[in-house]
Amino acid sequence: MSGKELDHLVLLGLMTVLFTVCSLPLIIRAYMGAFAADFNENADLSALRFLSVNSIVDPWVFIIFRTSVFRAFVRRVCRRLTSRRASLKGSSPAGEGQFCPPGWRRTDPPGLGIP
């Protein structure tokens, strides 16, 4: 599996988890309404509002977890972790970028890790 396929798979997984979490309250309310005399309109409205969050958040998840944006975010986190670890040790970072996945560090030669 190539790096691009893995990136798309991670994005698909995040979108699926988000959809499941947002639609679960409505599904639960529908089953409760079908099998029990539960007429709680506030809970029904809350479930509908929760489902509507999915359509608002989905584009943001797609934008944030796009390959270029996500890699820039990971690089920034890697640099912070590396510099924080070096400051705690009181020395220069010997394994600079050790927190970054291979191929995502700016110093890696092209062709290593994820393209």
Side-chain angles (χ1 to χ4, degrees):
M1 181 179 301
S2 73
K4 193 168 245 187
E5 290 172 345
L6 184 62
D7 290 343
H8 290 297
L9 190 61
V10 168
L11 181 61
L12 179 65
L14 285 171
M15 301 283 265
T16 303
V17 167
L18 180 67
F19 175 76
T20 303
V21 167
C22 288
S23 63
L24 202 57
L26 184 64
I27 293 169
I28 291 170
R29 290 298 305 161
Y31 277 113
M32 287 176 65
F35 297 115
D38 183 17
F39 297 107
N40 186 350
E41 288 183 7
N42 287 334
D44 293 341
L45 286 174
S46 294
L48 284 171
R49 288 182 185 125
F50 210 75
L51 183 65
S52 69
V53 166
N54 183 49
S55 61
I56 295 168
V57 174
D58 264 349
W60 287 100
V61 169
F62 183 76
I63 290 168
I64 291 170
F65 286 97
R66 243 185 10 217
T67 305
S68 59
V69 174
F70 184 62
R71 285 188 186 173
F73 173 74
V74 169
R75 278 190 206 116
R76 182 170 290 161
V77 169
C78 290
R79 281 195 301 261
R80 286 211 176 180
L81 287 174
T82 303
S83 66
R84 179 167 290 168
R85 185 171 185 199
S87 67
L88 289 175
K89 284 184 170 183
S91 63
S92 65
E96 187 173 337
Q98 62 187 345
F99 293 105
C100 293
W104 284 24
R105 292 175 232 136
R106 290 188 183 222
T107 58
D108 286 343
L112 291 178
I114 300 171

